[in-house]
Amino acid sequence: MTIEQTSRNPEPSEPFRPHKGVLLECRDFVSQRVREALARAVGEVDTELQGRRGDASSGDESQRLIELQVLIRRVGADLDRAFSTGFDKQFQERAGASSPASDFYQKHNGFLPELSLVEESVIDESLMVRNLSARLERNCEAESHDLQTRVAFMLGENDIDHTDNPIGPMAICETLKSICWSQDAGGELRAAVLEMLVSRLASDISTVYHDVNALLVSRKVMPNVRARAKRGKAVQRIAARRNGGPGQEDDATDIVKQLFSARAAAELPDWKRRTGAADLMQLLSGLQRGQPDLGLGGQTFSIEPEAAASGNVITRLVEAGLGKHVGTLDGIIIDVVATLFDYIFDDSRIPDAMKGLIGRLQIPVLKLAMMDHGFFANRSHPARRLINALAQAGVTWDGPLEPDSTLYRTAEAIVVRIQNEFSEDAEVFASCLQQFETYLVDQERNADARAATLTDRLKERERQELARQVARDSVAGLLANEAIPQVVRSFIEGTWIKVLAAASLEAAGGSEPAKEGERWREAMATLDELVWSVLPMQGPESRQLLVKRLPGILHNVKAGMQRVSMDEAAQKAFFAELVQCHAAAMKAAPAGPAATTGAATAAPRPTGRASTFRPPDEEPTPELLELDLLSRGSWVELKDESGDIRRMRLTWISPARTMYLFANRQGVRALALTRDELKRRFASGEARTADQEPLLDRVVDDVLDELRG
């Protein structure tokens, strides 16, 4: 959207958006893909109309088909350019610094203008575009949700309405409507062409948005958008219940609000006082124990032995007619619990084996939800925490979850215990939660203990790297002098940095590397002398001084070489080249003022113990933000050489945060990464933080969002 600039009433500048370039890339990507799909659609529509003309039963019908064919060809003749221009306009209107409504309000000094009537045709056109946009939305619901979440993030918003998505279906339909309405034709013909184009575009839109989401993941824009199931049958049943008859909509709406509010849920009637609830609870208890062919309201219900492990048995019971025999409150509770498990079964991150175990808790959880309405509103409810823990343990399991693994055996024992023991006392959920959390703590403790055997070596590696960094910082000023011969510069960057690093560690003892100590001062003095000796000499006095000092310089350089065990052949090769450098220094005229005695001029070098290491200033990027937010216990997904995803827990961070040690849940695999390597992996997509939001909390939030809709 273009914002007018005036000297009397300047508009605020557009807010900084770090992902603006990526959003523009997405605009161009979607525009290109939609234009390609529309080009195919125009050809298909033209062919279809041509065929229908041959089957026309009347002259009027044939004439209408001819007019439609002429119109679709006129639209197609300039469609590529027109869509590109129109889509860019729609993008600007939705991605601008402020909304059109806020701009209008500001320009009228805070007062709303006089309202005026809107032509009925405008309302009809707007409604038509909304209906067509909804048709596209239905064909790409999951992809559109993920894209909308990421676009909101790039726009700096917590959330945006689907109509405000600058690359969403509404923007596409508005663009196509403008193109069709720009043609000289009747409104009915233009509407027909628009509908035919959108209908054919519907088959491609899901792929387009899937690919643009993949593009955003590759650009590190919210790679971990939380999984969200498509609108399930249970939510549709609730919608049907809310619109099922006079008064039912209000009743259902109020009950849903109460279920998700702790204070209001406490006011709902106890299950024992609800009509038919006792019979329903008896049926569920029998199903929980595996009894077949149980009756309720003259109808028989049963669950196949393995059905709970492979799908939503509550949904199957409802489809079999269970809802006909329960009251409104119990019916809504059944619908909501069924929806919770719809989402769990649709979550691709949870291993199928763990889904099977959690699925066997469907009937106990339904019974619990009927008895304890706080289950929906209380995030600390033991049953919710248990399901969260089971799911999270499955998600963070490294590799396939097999029935013989300790996690599966432990979780299965807990599930079986709940199936056998739960009747009306929810204490069994709390006891099982404590049992499972103890197992997880012991497992992580064992994994940490195994990984800890590496920490001493990693600490020493970090000390050595910090010492090398101290050395590199100390020679940076000298290396900035381009008059130093390349062979000497290479020697400093390689061998002499090792000499300085060793001296720094020696002075530090067991603490941080230091720029102090006799050995450090000797190494720095030798370096100054070496650099001075290869720079052009000024006059006979400087040459005589070099001849006098040269034996001592060479002796000290050789001593440094030996301290770092430099290869004998490499020593001889360097000294041979150094002879040439000294000969050149004797003969060459000076390039500029230089000292005739003493060491070469260099940038000031601080002395004393190095300050605590901090990573160098780095541009704040998404991968750096993820890296800096890591703490002990964080879970990270790492892609190995074969492309498999390994889920690893951060068990240790070195004191200076230059080394990170990860271990898998089983404690049989450990991986140490430097800060630079981990940063590279985050940037390339080979590493990402695992979503640690409790599963059931996320699912309840999503279901509540759906119900509010």
Side-chain angles (χ1 to χ4, degrees):
M1 178 179 63
T2 301
I3 301 177
E4 298 177 359
Q5 300 287 344
T6 65
S7 58
R8 290 191 307 158
N9 187 22
E11 299 287 349
S13 60
E14 182 178 351
F16 171 69
R17 290 170 179 159
H19 296 288
K20 181 177 180 181
V22 180
L23 187 56
L24 292 175
E25 183 181 11
C26 292
R27 176 201 63 188
D28 296 341
F29 181 91
V30 173
S31 177
Q32 178 64 33
R33 292 288 296 275
V34 171
R35 281 182 281 143
E36 293 171 357
L38 288 173
R40 294 190 297 270
V42 167
E44 293 170 1
V45 170
D46 190 14
T47 301
E48 178 188 341
L49 293 173
Q50 183 67 33
R52 288 168 58 186
R53 283 173 57 187
D55 299 330
S57 58
S58 67
D60 290 343
E61 181 182 358
S62 178
Q63 179 61 32
R64 181 177 182 276
L65 291 172
I66 291 174
E67 292 175 353
L68 283 173
Q69 195 170 9
V70 170
L71 181 56
I72 192 68
R73 289 178 180 179
R74 280 164 38 194
V75 168
D78 193 35
L79 183 60
D80 190 80
R81 182 203 61 79
F83 186 88
S84 178
T85 302
F87 190 66
D88 182 66
K89 180 181 178 182
Q90 293 293 327
F91 177 90
Q92 293 297 332
E93 289 180 356
R94 289 167 170 79
S98 59
S99 67
S102 64
D103 282 348
F104 188 82
Y105 188 80
Q106 291 171 3
K107 291 176 183 177
H108 287 80
N109 300 319
F111 292 97
L112 291 175
E114 182 181 356
L115 296 178
S116 59
L117 295 177
V118 181
E119 292 183 12
E120 186 176 351
S121 61
V122 175
I123 297 176
D124 291 342
E125 293 169 8
S126 176
L127 181 60
M128 176 181 59
V129 171
R130 285 183 176 274
N131 289 339
L132 293 175
S133 173
R135 183 184 302 179
L136 292 184
E137 285 276 3
R138 287 193 295 271
N139 280 52
C140 59
E141 184 177 355
E143 295 83 1
S144 180
H145 166 264
D146 290 352
L147 179 61
Q148 185 173 314
T149 301
R150 292 186 169 104
V151 169
F153 172 74
M154 290 188 287
L155 290 174
E157 304 288 345
N158 292 328
D159 193 17
I160 57 173
D161 187 78
H162 68 94
T163 60
D164 295 328
N165 185 348
I167 53 177
M170 180 64 80
I172 293 173
C173 290
E174 286 283 8
T175 303
L176 285 175
K177 183 253 185 183
S178 297
I179 293 173
C180 292
W181 260 244
S182 68
Q183 303 297 321
D184 184 14
E188 181 186 353
L189 293 175
R190 294 184 298 193
V193 168
L194 174 60
E195 184 171 1
M196 286 187 285
L197 290 176
V198 171
S199 296
R200 280 161 177 78
L201 184 59
S203 62
D204 294 296
I205 196 66
S206 179
T207 302
V208 173
Y209 285 155
H210 174 276
D211 291 347
V212 78
N213 274 310
L215 172 65
L216 287 170
V217 170
S218 71
R219 298 293 186 267
K220 304 297 292 179
V221 176
M222 297 187 73
N224 297 324
V225 171
R226 68 188 193 179
R228 178 167 178 167
K230 294 183 179 181
R231 189 175 177 90
K233 294 180 180 178
V235 174
Q236 295 175 13
R237 285 195 301 273
I238 292 175
R241 186 184 304 278
R242 292 167 65 181
N243 298 298
Q248 290 192 32
E249 179 178 356
D250 293 338
D251 291 344
T253 301
D254 291 342
I255 291 173
V256 168
K257 290 179 180 179
Q258 285 181 276
L259 287 175
F260 288 93
S261 169
R263 180 179 299 178
E267 300 176 0
L268 290 170
D270 183 83
W271 71 274
K272 294 180 180 179
R273 293 188 284 110
R274 298 200 296 266
T275 303
D279 293 337
L280 174 60
M281 195 68 73
Q282 184 177 0
L283 169 69
L284 295 176
S285 296
L287 294 174
Q288 178 181 322
R289 293 190 296 269
Q291 298 177 7
D293 300 328
L294 298 170
L296 179 67
Q299 188 174 353
T300 300
F301 297 91
S302 62
I303 297 178
E304 297 176 5
E306 300 301 322
S310 59
N312 196 323
V313 298
I314 303 177
T315 297
R316 297 179 189 178
L317 290 173
V318 172
E319 291 174 347
L322 182 65
K324 300 175 183 177
H325 309 290
V326 301
T328 301
L329 174 56
D330 290 326
I332 289 177
I333 291 174
I334 291 172
D335 289 341
V336 173
V337 174
T339 304
L340 298 183
F341 281 97
D342 275 344
Y343 276 57
I344 291 172
F345 283 118
D346 283 344
D347 195 327
S348 61
R349 303 169 308 146
I350 305 174
D352 289 341
M354 184 58 75
K355 286 181 184 178
L357 293 176
I358 295 175
R360 287 158 63 178
L361 295 177
Q362 291 178 77
I363 298 300
V365 168
L366 175 57
K367 289 172 55 181
L368 178 68
M370 291 179 60
M371 294 186 296
D372 183 1
H373 303 144
F375 172 79
F376 297 105
N378 183 8
R379 291 177 180 266
S380 299
H381 196 289
R384 285 181 59 164
R385 289 171 56 195
L386 176 60
I387 295 176
N388 287 336
L390 290 169
Q392 181 67 7
V395 168
T396 55
W397 186 260
D398 185 24
L401 180 59
E402 304 292 348
D404 61 348
S405 67
T406 59
L407 172 59
Y408 187 92
R409 293 199 305 269
T410 303
E412 184 180 37
I414 286 173
V415 169
V416 170
R417 180 184 170 190
I418 292 174
Q419 287 178 308
N420 293 336
E421 297 182 14
F422 176 62
S423 178
E424 295 183 16
D425 187 1
E427 180 60 31
V428 65
F429 282 94
S431 177
C432 287
L433 171 64
Q434 183 178 9
Q435 177 185 344
F436 192 62
E437 286 182 336
T438 299
Y439 160 76
L440 294 177
V441 169
D442 290 342
Q443 190 182 57
E444 291 177 357
R445 184 184 296 117
N446 292 334
D448 289 352
R450 293 184 182 184
T453 60
L454 303 173
T455 57
D456 288 342
R457 281 182 285 171
L458 294 176
K459 286 180 181 177
E460 183 56 30
R461 277 181 55 184
E462 180 177 67
R463 290 183 69 247
Q464 293 174 1
E465 177 55 33
L466 292 179
R468 285 191 289 270
Q469 185 61 50
V470 168
R472 285 192 288 266
D473 292 344
S474 299
V475 303
L478 286 175
L479 293 178
N481 187 348
E482 297 181 356
I484 300 174
Q486 183 57 47
V487 62
V488 176
R489 295 163 66 90
S490 299
F491 174 75
I492 296 171
E493 291 173 329
T495 301
W496 211 254
I497 279 181
K498 295 179 182 178
V499 174
L500 290 170
S504 176
L505 288 172
E506 181 180 320
S511 58
E512 296 177 1
K515 297 179 180 181
E516 60 184 30
E518 186 62 29
R519 189 79 74 184
W520 174 271
R521 288 188 288 273
E522 289 176 358
M524 290 302 302
T526 299
L527 177 60
D528 285 342
E529 292 280 341
L530 174 62
V531 170
W532 168 77
S533 72
V534 297
L535 294 175
M537 297 293 111
Q538 294 190 26
E541 296 83 1
S542 296
R543 297 186 184 94
Q544 291 173 8
L545 186 59
L546 174 58
V547 172
K548 179 180 178 181
R549 291 187 179 181
L550 194 55
I553 295 173
L554 297 177
H555 175 271
N556 293 336
V557 169
K558 186 170 183 64
M561 291 174 165
Q562 293 173 342
R563 279 198 294 273
V564 295
S565 303
M566 185 178 181
D567 181 72
E568 189 71 28
Q571 292 184 38
K572 291 180 179 179
F574 174 71
F575 281 128
E577 293 183 285
L578 191 58
V579 169
Q580 303 299 323
C581 293
H582 287 145
M586 287 285 208
K587 297 176 182 178
T596 57
T597 60
T601 302
R605 290 187 292 269
T607 59
R609 187 169 298 276
S611 60
T612 301
F613 176 81
R614 291 288 183 272
D617 291 338
E618 298 168 294
E619 182 181 352
T621 58
E623 57 268 15
L624 273 178
L625 292 176
E626 286 190 276
L627 186 61
D628 290 337
L629 288 174
L630 290 180
S631 59
R632 189 173 180 274
S634 297
W635 285 93
V636 176
E637 296 180 352
L638 299 167
K639 187 177 295 185
D640 63 16
E641 295 178 354
S642 64
D644 294 333
I645 299 297
R646 297 291 180 186
R647 295 172 177 86
M648 311 286 278
R649 179 172 169 269
L650 181 56
T651 67
W652 177 81
I653 306 175
S654 65
R657 294 186 71 90
T658 69
M659 299 291 299
Y660 297 77
L661 179 62
F662 298 89
N664 67 355
R665 180 172 287 284
Q666 296 93 306
V668 298
R669 186 191 306 274
L671 177 66
L673 295 173
T674 65
R675 178 181 175 85
D676 287 342
E677 173 61 14
L678 191 54
K679 174 186 170 185
R680 184 196 68 78
R681 293 197 182 199
F682 272 115
S684 66
E686 298 173 59
R688 66 181 187 179
T689 53
D691 182 9
Q692 294 179 251
E693 183 182 6
L695 169 72
L696 212 55
D697 294 352
R698 170 170 53 82
V699 168
V700 167
D701 289 343
D702 281 346
V703 171
L704 186 55
D705 287 344
E706 294 284 5
L707 296 180
R708 284 170 176 163

